[in-house]
Amino acid sequence: MENSHCLVGTAGWSIPKAHRPSFSAAGSQLERYAAWFPVVEINSSFHKPHRRETYERWARSVPDHFRFSAKIPKAVTHERRLEDCDDLLDAFLGQAAGLDSKLSVLLVQLPPSLRFEPKTAEKFFAVLRAKTDRRLVCEPRHASWFEPEADALLSRLRVGRVAADPAPVPAADMPGGWRDLAYFRFHGAPQVYYSDYEAAQLLDISGRLAEASASAAEVWCIFDNTARGHALGNALSVDAAVRQMTFSSRNALPSATLS
């Protein structure tokens, strides 16, 4: 993976009791989390607004290299369904601007019932693109978003399509759309948000990240199976595997020298 960055983290920064010995005892949970991981996904912004001052406090709590992704509010995606939402976008972006340069990605998760409508999708993402220079990723869940027309539109508008597990359709298990940023979200399977990933599954996930990193400039891997606290342990395991693969790749002998 020496040609790209593979960044592993979780949705939120809660540190379950079982994993606390792996982290410093000093500081807030975000400070302790950010001392180990390079990225985190803010999911709470999907459910409720946060004051700009809250985002500013979070930004001050993490190292300079640390980056956030933030989830677009459900009022935009699930209630107005991407239409007539300039006011909601302006309010959210004004709040999230408190993260300043540490806000790296905006996540648009769509409801399973939302079909791909070319005019609606193009207008929404063009408007959002005009309002922010942050990278955009979209997690659609209706099968129509995985057809060539939708993939081409997302690619043209520089929107990465999230790779999700469980995948709503087979094509959803690898990134699509704009390919410079490959963004994976692991929700837990078979029970979404609750299931722990077993060792063999985590090894497979590491391999998928390696495959994506061959073509993407940057890879994000976010574990969202937080309901029973499994996300952090899974992220620690995959982060260790990614670090080992990166180390091994960088220290491999040139093929011409091998006997």
Side-chain angles (χ1 to χ4, degrees), residues 78-237:
H78 289 54
E79 295 171 15
R80 296 197 189 175
R81 300 172 71 85
L82 307 184
E83 297 188 282
D84 301 321
C85 49
D86 278 36
D87 57 331
L88 298 176
L89 289 174
D90 288 340
F92 167 72
L93 293 172
Q95 296 155 7
L99 294 173
D100 198 17
S101 62
K102 292 175 181 174
L103 175 59
S104 182
V105 182
L106 295 173
L107 167 65
V108 181
Q109 185 191 55
L110 303 180
S113 62
L114 187 61
R115 297 182 58 89
F116 173 69
E117 297 291 345
K119 291 183 179 179
T120 299
E122 179 157 18
K123 181 179 180 180
F124 172 79
F125 284 111
V127 167
L128 182 55
R129 170 62 59 211
K131 292 178 180 293
T132 180
D133 60 357
R134 300 305 187 254
R135 295 176 296 174
L136 306 178
V137 295
C138 177
E139 184 180 5
R141 290 180 284 180
H142 191 280
S144 59
W145 284 86
F146 300 90
E147 298 297 325
E149 182 183 7
D151 198 68
L153 184 143
L154 293 175
S155 180
R156 177 165 54 83
L157 294 175
R158 294 182 291 122
V159 179
R161 194 189 71 224
V162 169
D165 183 78
V169 300
D173 68 352
M174 288 299 287
W178 183 61
R179 300 300 179 94
D180 279 18
L181 172 62
Y183 198 105
F184 290 78
R185 302 187 81 222
F186 293 95
H187 301 293
Q191 190 175 8
V192 175
Y193 307 129
Y194 287 86
S195 291
D196 192 9
Y197 287 101
E198 298 179 354
Q201 294 173 301
L202 296 173
L203 185 62
D204 177 69
I205 287 170
S206 300
R208 289 167 62 186
L209 301 180
E211 180 181 347
S213 73
S215 57
E218 189 169 281
V219 178
W220 282 48
C221 171
I222 298 295
F223 284 93
D224 187 33
N225 51 334
T226 56
R228 291 182 179 149
H230 296 309
L232 193 68
N234 291 165
L236 287 168
S237 295

Side-chain angles (χ1 to χ4, degrees), residues 5 25 43 72 107:
H5 297 289
N43 259 321
I72 297 286
L107 167 65

Side-chain angles (χ1 to χ4, degrees), residues 4 7 24 36 50 54 64 71 73 84 100 103 114 165 177 187 207 237 255:
S4 65
L7 308 174
S24 169
W36 183 279
H50 298 297
T54 299
D64 290 342
K71 196 171 180 181
D84 301 321
D100 198 17
L103 175 59
L114 187 61
D165 183 78
H187 301 293
S237 295
S255 58

